[in-house]
Amino acid sequence: MSIEKVARLAGVSTATVSRVLNGYEGVRPATRDRVLAAIAAIQYQPNLLARQLRTSRSRMLLVLVSNIINPFCSRVVRGIEAEAEAHGYHILLCNSDSQTQRESAYLTLLSGKVVDGVITMDAVSNLPGLRQMIGDSPWVQCAEGNPESEGSSVTIDNQQAAREAIAHLTQRGRQRIAMINGDPRYLYAQQREKGYRAALAERNVKWAAVEYANEVECEAGYAAMERLLARGQRPDAVFAVSDVLAVGAIHCARQHQLRIPEDIAMLGFDGLPWSAMLSPPLSTLEQPMHQLGVRSVQLLLQRIKDPHAPHVHEQLNCKLVERASS
Amino acid sequence: MSIEKVARLAGVSTATVSRVLNGYEGVRPATRDRVLAAIAAIQYQPNLLARQLRTSRSRMLLVLVSNIINPFCSRVVRGIEAEAEAHGYHILLCNSDSQTQRESAYLTLLSGKVVDGVITMDAVSNLPGLRQMIGDSPWVQCAEGNPESEGSSVTIDNQQAAREAIAHLTQRGRQRIAMINGDPRYLYAQQREKGYRAALAERNVKWAAVEYANEVECEAGYAAMERLLARGQRPDAVFAVSDVLAVGAIHCARQHQLRIPEDIAMLGFDGLPWSAMLSPPLSTLEQPMHQLGVRSVQLLLQRIKDPHAPHVHEQLNCKLVERASS
DNA sequence: CTGTTAGCGCCTTCAG
DNA sequence: CTGAAGGCGCTAACAG
C-alpha cells in the first residue's frame, strides 16, 4: 500500500510515481498511464503523514475557540473553515473553555508541526505562557485580540461599538443604561465596558451599572438581569454584549412584568439572524462574523507563506441595526 | 531541534531519549536527568508528525458535520470534543454543507492516516462513494445514521419522537397539524416525516401538510411557514424539526396576525436552552445533544482499539418538554 | 524523461 | 540499563 508497491507494479521508480502523484510535467504519457493504472489496481492511497513529514507542511490550521456553542463563534469558525478550504487547508478545532491547560495541550500541535499555524479566538494574548508556546509561529488573533501584542489580529473596534450602542440608547431618551457584559478577562469585554463608561461620561451621565455573565448562554443573561433588577434603581435600558445574553435578559424582564421596550429598552450584540425574529425584534450591533474568519485565514496564510511578512492589525466595521426592542 | 541533538548533548543514544520521552521505566535516574536537562536546554519539542508516522497513530478524529452553525450540531460537537480530549484525542472539523466533494476531500485524511477514525453527522451512509472511501476504517454515525448500514451509530428514535410530537398536539385538540421538515435527503427528516404520517394515520386524520426548509436557519423556517400559510386551509399547529426553524415559523405567523398558541400551536425540536426563553416559551422535543457526541466517541475509540469490535446501533431517548407555545 | 539516493524525526527490536 | 541500526512512506536533489 506504499508508493514502492505502485512503482514495482508499474515497473518504474518511486520517484516517477511521486512525480505522477504530484502532477509534475515531465513524465512521458505512456509511463504516467502505467503508473495511474497501477495506482488504480491496488487502490493506492498516499500516506499523508509521510508526505507532511517530508515536506514539513501539514496544510492544517489550529483554531482555538473559547466555546463553539456561542453562535458568534460558530459563525466565525464557519468563515475560517470556508476560506481555509478554499486554499486547501483543513482545520483543527479546540474548545478551550478558556482553560490554559487545554489550550497549551493543543498548542503542542503547533510546536509538534501538526499544524502550520494558529488562529486564536480566546484571551491568550495576555497569557505569557501561551504566548511563549506560540513563539513566532504563524499566528492570528481573531475577534479577541490585543493590538499591542505581537502577532496579527482581526477584530472590530469594540470601544467604538459600545459608544454607538450608548449613543443610540440615549438618543432614544434612555437615562439609566445598564450593561450586561461578558467575562472581564476577555479584552473585548474590557474594551466594550471602557466604551460604555466613556460614552456615559461624555454625556455627564453618572448612573451606570454593569453585571457580568460568566458564560455566553441565555441562562447567564437571565441571571445577570436578575441581579441588575435586584439593585436599587431599575435601569430603563440594557446593553448586552451578545444577542444570546439579551434573550435571557428579555425573558427575565418579562418575568418581572416589565415591557420591552416601554419599560426597558434592550440592545444586543453580534447580529445573529434570529435576533430579527424575536418578539420584539432585537436591536443589535451586527458584527461581520464570516468576514472576521475569512480575513484571519488570509492573514495567517500570508504569514505562513512568508514568515517575515509584517504583522497587521485590522479592524472591521460593525453596524447598528435598530429594531423594535429599543 | 531533533531527538538526535538531545542525545548528543546528553551523551546518550537517541533510543534512550525516546525512552525518557515516552516515560519508559528502565532508565537509570541519573541518565534520565541528564536527558531531561538536555531537553530543557535546547527547548526540544518532539515532532509529532514523525511520531505519528512511526507509530501509525495520530490520535486525531475527523468530525464530518453538515454545518456547525446549526446549534444542535455545535452542541453535539462540543460533546464529541470533550470526550475526545478526555482520552487524549484531538478533533478535525469539516463543515460539509452536504457537498459530497468536500466530504470526500476530508475523507482522504482518513485513508491518508492523518486521522484514526471518523464521526459523521451528515447523510453519508446512503452515499456509496463515501461509504467506500471509509471502507472499514473506524467509523461512527452520530445523530444521522442508518441502522442498516455498516458502521456503528448513535441516534435517537426519530420516528418515535415524531409520533410523540403528534400525540401531544392532537391531545391538545389540534386538528390540522402541519410539519416543517428539513432537507429530505437526510434520514432524520425521512424518519420524522414517516412518524408524523404514521401518527396521523393511526388517528384517521387525513389533513397533512409538509414543507421543507432548505437549511436549518430561522429564515428558512420563516419561508416554509409562508408557504404553509399560502396553501388552502390554514394549519392550527406546526411541528418543526428544529427550534431554529420554529423561531422563523413563529415570526412568520405573527406577521400574519396569528396568535401563538391560540391560532397556531408551535412545537420545536432539539431543546436548545433559549427555546425556554422565547415568548411564548417554545414546546420542544429535547435531544441529548452532549450525550450523543460523548457516546459516539466512546464507540469510535472502542473500535479504534479493537478493529474487530462488533458494530453497535444505539438509540438515546429524547424528551417532550411542554411549554406555552402548544 | 527516469532512476538512485538520501534523508524528514521518530520508535523499536535486537544485542550487548 | 543502554546503544546500534533499520525503517515508517514519502519527496527532492542529483545524475544519467
Side-chain angles (χ1 to χ4, degrees):
Chain A
M1 202 53 50
S2 68
I3 208 174
E4 204 185 329
K5 281 203 187 113
V6 177
R8 249 195 319 257
L9 189 57
V12 298
S13 74
T14 62
T16 300
V17 178
S18 176
R19 282 191 266 262
V20 172
L21 244 31
N22 294 291
Y24 275 69
E25 288 306 317
V27 179
R28 205 198 317 161
T31 35
R32 139 176 271 105
D33 288 346
R34 280 219 313 288
V35 171
L36 256 19
I39 286 174
I42 66 168
Q43 301 220 62
Y44 166 76
Q45 310 273 168
N47 182 315
L48 268 22
L49 281 180
R51 178 178 294 170
Q52 288 169 9
L53 174 60
R54 181 58 231 245
T55 60
S56 62
R57 262 174 63 265
S58 68
R59 292 191 153 272
M60 298 229 255
L61 267 26
L62 177 62
V63 178
L64 227 59
V65 62
S66 52
N67 192 348
I68 191 77
I69 281 177
N70 181 340
F72 167 75
C73 292
S74 66
R75 291 190 118 85
V76 175
V77 168
R78 199 68 174 77
I80 290 176
E81 209 236 351
E83 188 68 10
E85 204 216 320
H87 295 272
Y89 277 76
H90 296 300
I91 74 167
L92 221 86
L93 183 72
C94 164
N95 285 101
S96 68
D97 277 327
S98 299
Q99 290 173 28
T100 310
Q101 191 194 351
R102 304 178 89 186
E103 307 193 305
S104 78
Y106 268 90
L107 285 177
T108 59
L109 296 178
L110 187 60
S111 53
K113 309 292 181 190
V114 175
V115 298
D116 294 339
V118 58
I119 293 176
T120 59
M121 295 184 61
D122 204 357
V124 302
S125 57
N126 37 6
L127 296 175
L130 296 179
R131 270 296 292 111
Q132 195 192 334
M133 289 193 71
I134 295 172
D136 42 30
S137 302
W139 172 43
V140 173
Q141 301 170 72
C142 177
E144 167 69 12
N146 186 351
E148 275 141 49
S149 78
E150 301 159 68
S152 299
S153 65
V154 182
T155 60
I156 59 162
D157 187 337
N158 283 301
Q159 223 181 114
Q160 177 55 26
R163 298 172 99 101
E164 278 179 47
I166 305 313
H168 165 69
L169 292 170
T170 54
Q171 216 167 293
R172 298 268 169 128
R174 303 297 164 159
Q175 315 276 343
R176 298 184 305 282
I177 304 172
M179 177 179 193
I180 294 183
N181 204 354
D183 186 329
R185 285 175 302 180
Y186 284 90
L187 285 165
Y188 85 83
Q190 294 166 23
Q191 292 160 346
R192 290 181 198 171
E193 183 166 340
K194 202 166 170 185
Y196 162 79
R197 294 192 185 281
L200 291 181
E202 282 164 17
R203 292 169 175 74
N204 292 311
V205 177
K206 278 176 296 271
W207 199 98
V210 180
E211 285 291 345
Y212 302 92
N214 55 341
E215 56 174 353
V216 182
E217 287 275 18
C218 55
E219 294 94 329
Y222 186 100
M225 188 67 184
E226 196 73 85
R227 294 196 298 274
L228 229 34
L229 294 177
R231 293 180 172 207
Q233 206 175 10
R234 178 207 301 160
D236 62 5
V238 173
F239 166 44
V241 296
S242 154
D243 293 341
V244 174
L245 295 173
V247 169
I250 288 174
H251 187 63
C252 178
R254 284 242 176 71
Q255 301 277 67
H256 285 262
Q257 323 302 334
L258 297 169
R259 292 161 306 161
I260 312 288
E262 294 82 353
D263 301 319
I264 297 195
M266 193 64 67
L267 178 58
F269 210 108
D270 290 347
L272 302 174
W274 47 253
S275 64
M277 303 217 178
L278 297 176
S279 92
L282 180 67
S283 297
T284 187
L285 275 149
E286 189 177 293
Q287 295 202 60
M289 298 180 277
H290 196 85
Q291 197 55 24
L292 279 166
V294 168
R295 263 321 267 161
S296 300
V297 170
Q298 291 171 348
L299 292 184
L300 186 60
L301 293 184
Q302 196 173 305
R303 192 131 174 92
I304 287 172
K305 202 195 293 176
D306 173 16
H308 299 295
H311 289 147
V312 187
H313 294 284
E314 272 193 27
Q315 290 198 326
L316 306 185
N317 293 321
C318 50
K319 191 180 117 210
L320 177 68
V321 181
E322 306 184 19
R323 293 199 273 243
S325 73
S326 67
Chain B
M1 204 52 50
S2 69
I3 209 174
E4 202 183 333
K5 280 200 188 118
V6 177
R8 254 198 312 261
L9 189 58
V12 297
S13 75
T14 61
T16 300
V17 178
S18 175
R19 283 190 267 261
V20 172
L21 244 32
N22 294 290
Y24 276 69
E25 288 305 317
V27 179
R28 209 194 318 159
T31 35
R32 140 176 270 106
D33 288 347
R34 280 220 313 287
V35 171
L36 255 21
I39 287 174
I42 66 169
Q43 302 219 61
Y44 166 74
Q45 311 273 171
N47 182 314
L48 269 21
L49 279 180
R51 179 178 291 171
Q52 288 170 9
L53 174 60
R54 182 58 231 246
T55 61
S56 61
R57 260 173 65 266
S58 68
R59 291 193 154 271
M60 298 229 255
L61 267 25
L62 176 62
V63 178
L64 225 61
V65 61
S66 51
N67 192 348
I68 192 76
I69 281 177
N70 181 341
F72 167 76
C73 292
S74 68
R75 292 190 116 87
V76 174
V77 168
R78 199 68 174 79
I80 290 175
E81 209 236 350
E83 187 68 12
E85 203 217 322
H87 294 272
Y89 277 76
H90 296 299
I91 73 168
L92 220 87
L93 183 72
C94 164
N95 286 99
S96 68
D97 278 328
S98 299
Q99 289 172 27
T100 309
Q101 191 194 351
R102 305 178 89 186
E103 306 194 306
S104 78
Y106 268 89
L107 285 177
T108 59
L109 297 178
L110 186 61
S111 53
K113 308 293 181 190
V114 174
V115 298
D116 294 340
V118 59
I119 293 176
T120 58
M121 295 183 62
D122 204 357
V124 303
S125 56
N126 37 6
L127 297 175
L130 297 179
R131 270 295 293 112
Q132 194 191 336
M133 290 193 71
I134 294 173
D136 42 30
S137 302
W139 172 42
V140 173
Q141 301 170 72
C142 177
E144 167 70 12
N146 186 350
E148 276 143 47
S149 79
E150 299 159 69
S152 298
S153 67
V154 182
T155 59
I156 58 163
D157 186 336
N158 282 303
Q159 220 179 116
Q160 177 56 25
R163 297 172 99 101
E164 277 178 47
I166 304 315
H168 165 71
L169 291 170
T170 53
Q171 217 167 293
R172 298 265 171 130
R174 302 298 166 159
Q175 314 276 341
R176 297 184 307 282
I177 306 172
M179 178 181 192
I180 294 183
N181 203 357
D183 186 328
R185 284 175 303 180
Y186 283 90
L187 283 165
Y188 85 82
Q190 294 165 23
Q191 292 160 346
R192 290 180 198 170
E193 183 166 339
K194 201 166 169 185
Y196 162 79
R197 293 192 185 279
L200 291 182
E202 281 163 17
R203 291 169 176 74
N204 292 312
V205 176
K206 276 177 297 275
W207 198 98
V210 180
E211 284 291 344
Y212 302 92
N214 56 341
E215 57 175 351
V216 182
E217 287 275 17
C218 56
E219 294 94 330
Y222 186 100
M225 187 68 182
E226 196 72 85
R227 293 195 299 273
L228 228 35
L229 294 176
R231 293 180 173 208
Q233 205 172 12
R234 178 208 302 160
D236 61 6
V238 172
F239 166 44
V241 295
S242 155
D243 293 342
V244 173
L245 296 174
V247 169
I250 289 174
H251 187 62
C252 178
R254 282 242 178 71
Q255 301 275 68
H256 285 262
Q257 322 302 336
L258 297 168
R259 293 161 305 161
I260 313 287
E262 295 82 352
D263 299 320
I264 296 195
M266 193 65 67
L267 178 58
F269 210 108
D270 290 347
L272 302 174
W274 49 252
S275 63
M277 305 218 177
L278 297 177
S279 94
L282 180 66
S283 297
T284 186
L285 275 150
E286 190 176 292
Q287 296 201 59
M289 299 179 275
H290 195 85
Q291 197 55 24
L292 279 167
V294 168
R295 265 319 269 161
S296 301
V297 171
Q298 290 172 348
L299 292 184
L300 186 61
L301 293 184
Q302 196 172 305
R303 192 135 174 99
I304 287 172
K305 202 195 294 176
D306 173 16
H308 299 296
H311 290 145
V312 187
H313 294 284
E314 272 191 29
Q315 289 199 327
L316 306 184
N317 293 322
C318 51
K319 192 180 115 207
L320 177 68
V321 181
E322 306 185 18
R323 294 199 273 245
S325 73
S326 66

